Amino acid sequence: MSMGHMSRTPIRPETELARSEGRPVRGPVRRMLRWGGMASVLAMALVFGGFLRFADSVTTLKPPLDPRADAIVVLTGGYQRIDQAVELLQKGAGKRLLISGVHPATTPKQIRRMTQASPELFSCCVDIGYDALDTIGNAQEASNWIHQRGYKSVLVVTNNYHMPRSLAELAYVDSETQFIPYPVVNTDLKTSDWFTDPNAVRVMLAEYAKVLFAGARNLTGLGRHPGLRSAGVSG
């Protein structure tokens, strides 16, 4: 073969060859890990931002200046809630009161003595709900009571940190009724430095996690249960 027709293969310098051989290969696994890491960081930022918004809404939540509704529902969990609800009933903020989620061993007489309300008030205008097991059950028990009596607007009495989840569960089972929040303000959360109190932070984080779980459950319908003692007996 003559020199004029000889094919020449270009020779790359040794330094360029070394760079190409040492260059990392960007495969699908590497790209997946990269995008997964970015998604995790974004998800954490959204969750943290959501917690800040939740904490701000809870700590600034205040009762209405002139509460008025057809009736009052208090979700049990502390005597302070029941005291506040009975006081609202005495002032005429609602025609009737449901105390939802009372333990079966607790009698109406014990509750009346605890609130120091008159026997007449309890006999005429207070109903005790023993069926609810949790917040889902509170919502279902309250909704049944509301529709049995034909109420259109209801004051909801519970702790301020518990209010967002309570309203979400009530709205899920009853979209027709107007629910008016009347938060029982926790003094530990009113201060601007509540985040320095480990107990307050623990309560807020736990409740925020429950809010997220409840939202996902109500959106998908997965893991939702009646939350009523009667449902367990009938099942």
Side-chain angles (χ1 to χ4, degrees):
M1 184 179 293
S2 64
M3 294 294 295
H5 294 282
M6 184 179 294
S7 62
R8 297 182 179 181
T9 302
I11 301 176
R12 291 183 292 177
E14 292 183 2
T15 55
E16 183 180 348
L17 183 61
R19 278 200 305 269
S20 64
E21 291 176 350
R23 186 179 301 163
V25 178
R26 298 184 181 276
V29 175
R30 184 183 180 90
R31 287 196 298 270
M32 184 175 64
L33 291 175
R34 180 184 178 186
W35 285 107
M38 293 175 63
S40 298
V41 171
L42 179 60
M44 291 176 62
L46 290 174
V47 170
F48 182 70
F51 173 71
L52 293 180
R53 183 176 180 181
F54 168 79
D56 181 67
S57 66
V58 166
T59 54
T60 57
L61 192 61
K62 296 180 181 180
L65 295 178
D66 186 24
R68 287 288 184 272
D70 293 339
I72 307 165
V73 170
V74 57
L75 312 185
T76 56
Y79 287 129
Q80 188 179 3
R81 304 181 188 181
I82 301 176
D83 282 337
Q84 188 67 72
V86 171
E87 183 179 344
L88 287 169
L89 181 65
Q90 290 172 331
K91 292 180 177 179
K95 303 172 186 175
R96 197 170 186 88
L97 167 64
L98 169 67
I99 304 176
S100 173
V102 177
H103 192 276
T106 305
T107 66
K109 189 175 181 179
Q110 290 173 324
I111 297 176
R112 183 187 63 77
R113 286 179 175 176
M114 179 268 297
T115 61
Q116 298 182 350
S118 67
E120 293 77 17
L121 182 69
F122 260 68
S123 62
C124 82
C125 306
V126 177
D127 295 315
I128 310 296
Y130 293 102
D131 206 15
L133 293 168
D134 52 20
T135 305
I136 295 177
N138 287 142
Q140 190 61 62
E141 184 175 56
S143 179
N144 295 341
W145 180 80
I146 289 167
H147 288 282
Q148 285 172 2
R149 297 186 173 275
Y151 297 135
K152 299 299 181 183
S153 61
V154 174
L155 284 169
V156 180
V157 181
T158 188
N159 283 90
N160 53 353
Y161 62 83
H162 187 233
M163 187 63 74
R165 184 159 57 99
S166 301
L167 293 177
E169 297 294 1
L170 286 164
Y172 182 86
V173 299
D174 189 350
S175 60
E176 300 176 3
T177 303
Q178 178 189 9
F179 294 106
I180 305 169
Y182 193 97
V184 176
V185 178
N186 188 323
T187 54
D188 293 336
L189 301 180
K190 289 179 66 178
T191 59
S192 59
D193 58 347
W194 62 267
F195 46 83
T196 62
D197 182 353
N199 291 328
V201 172
R202 177 181 56 80
V203 169
M204 294 286 278
L205 286 173
E207 189 61 31
Y208 177 61
K210 291 177 182 179
V211 168
L212 292 180
F213 180 74
R217 181 185 59 224
N218 291 344
L219 184 64
T220 62
L222 300 176
R224 188 168 184 87
H225 56 276
L228 299 174
R229 287 187 174 87
S230 59
V233 172
S234 62

